[in-house]
């Protein structure tokens, strides 16, 4: 059947980049509208984003196909047209780092439109353990090589009826954020609470 979706992603707290050796670094920062960077000293971390920075809007519409459905596994595929609007709001990205120096660039805002595809899997091994996987991609119509994708894996351990412990791994490719290193990996533990209203 058809699908229409809209979403917003942001961060509620400040974001920091921690230097690998946790030692003071000389940081060179290139602002988005400047060709020449300026340098300053930082200790073992640098703030790369403020609250609600960056903000990304996602929209899409198309067809949704149910490939497989059972008690233990559900598989879906989506295909349609999608769009992304990215508001950086002074968000910084790291392009290089040594033992004593690091280089950061301000990310520029962008708008992308193109072909949207998604593969979604949901597995339940027991009533307490579940696995969710979503591969979401967007291929721009004007530059298909500048494709964006997000591979999201979540392993959920149900603690009680209203709480679960989740381990989340995100693999993100977005050359609009960082052209030199377009792919990044993030992982985190989340304690999730849920409540059913109706």
């Amino acid at each position: 059947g058809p699908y229409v979706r809209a979403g917003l992603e942001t961060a509620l707290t400040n974001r920091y980049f921690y230097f690998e050796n946790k030692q003071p670094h000389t940081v060179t920062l290139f602002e988005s509208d400047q060709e020449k960077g300026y340098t300053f000293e930082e200790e073992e971390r640098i703030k790369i984003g403020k609250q609600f920075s960056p903000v990304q809007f996602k929209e899409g519409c198309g067809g949704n196909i149910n490939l497989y459905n059972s008690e233990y596994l559900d598989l879906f595929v989506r295909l349609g047209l999608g769009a992304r609007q990215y508001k950086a709001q002074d968000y910084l990205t790291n392009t290089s780092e040594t033992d004593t120096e690091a280089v950061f660039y301000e990310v520029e805002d962008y708008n992308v439109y193109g072909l949207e595809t998604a593969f979604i899997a949901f597995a339940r091994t027991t009533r307490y353990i579940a696995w969710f996987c979503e591969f979401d991609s967007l291929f721009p119509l004007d530059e298909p090589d500048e494709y964006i994708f997000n591979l999201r894996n979540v392993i959920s351990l149900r603690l009680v009826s209203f709480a679960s412990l989740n381990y989340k791994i995100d693999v993100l490719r977005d050359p609009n954020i960082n052209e030199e290193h377009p792919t990044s990996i993030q992982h985190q533990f989340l304690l999730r609470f849920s409540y059913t209203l109706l």
Side-chain angles (χ1 to χ4, degrees):
Y3 78 89
V4 176
R5 69 165 186 158
L8 180 149
E9 292 183 5
T10 189
L12 299 179
T13 60
N14 296 330
R15 294 188 182 187
Y16 296 90
F17 180 93
Y18 289 84
F19 303 123
E20 288 190 8
N21 58 10
K22 296 183 179 180
Q23 297 294 324
H25 275 56
T26 299
V27 176
T28 302
L29 174 61
F30 290 87
E31 296 182 344
S32 58
D33 57 348
Q34 301 291 330
E35 294 184 2
K36 186 177 180 180
Y38 64 92
T39 60
F40 53 93
E41 299 294 326
E42 285 289 350
E43 294 298 323
E44 58 185 49
R45 70 177 187 178
I46 178 176
K47 186 168 78 170
I48 59 173
K50 57 188 178 182
Q51 292 177 323
F52 303 104
S53 170
V55 178
Q56 185 176 40
F57 301 93
K58 297 182 178 181
E59 305 88 24
C61 63
N64 182 64
I65 303 171
N66 189 346
L67 295 180
Y68 184 78
N69 183 265
S70 71
E71 183 180 355
Y72 299 103
L73 180 65
D74 297 327
L75 299 176
F76 301 91
V77 170
R78 289 199 304 252
L79 179 63
L81 297 176
R84 305 284 188 275
Q85 296 86 39
Y86 191 92
K87 307 300 180 184
Q89 302 186 105
D90 303 324
Y91 184 68
L92 305 179
T93 183
N94 173 253
T95 57
S96 66
E97 181 188 359
T98 66
D99 291 339
T100 58
E101 297 180 345
V103 178
F104 289 83
Y105 281 79
E106 281 190 357
V107 180
E108 296 184 2
D109 298 349
Y110 70 82
N111 297 300
V112 179
Y113 306 89
L115 179 65
E116 178 180 69
T117 60
F119 175 80
I120 302 168
F122 184 72
R124 298 166 293 273
T125 55
T126 68
R127 60 178 297 186
Y128 297 103
I129 301 176
W131 169 68
F132 173 79
C133 176
E134 180 181 14
F135 180 81
D136 186 12
S137 63
L138 181 70
F139 293 85
L141 297 177
D142 53 347
E143 296 184 26
D145 292 338
E146 300 294 320
Y147 63 91
I148 301 169
F149 77 74
N150 188 0
L151 175 60
R152 179 173 300 168
N153 283 278
V154 180
I155 300 173
S156 178
L157 174 62
R158 192 176 200 183
L159 303 177
V160 290
S161 60
F162 59 87
S164 62
L165 181 64
N166 295 346
Y167 178 58
K168 180 181 176 184
I169 304 175
D170 281 344
V171 181
L172 174 65
R173 183 190 190 275
D174 193 342
N176 300 288
I177 297 176
N178 193 325
E179 189 174 355
E180 294 186 25
H181 308 287
T183 305
S184 63
I185 299 175
Q186 299 178 356
H187 62 97
Q188 55 187 322
F189 282 99
L190 303 171
L191 183 60
R192 181 173 181 267
F193 297 92
S194 61
Y195 179 75
T196 303
L197 294 176
L198 300 175

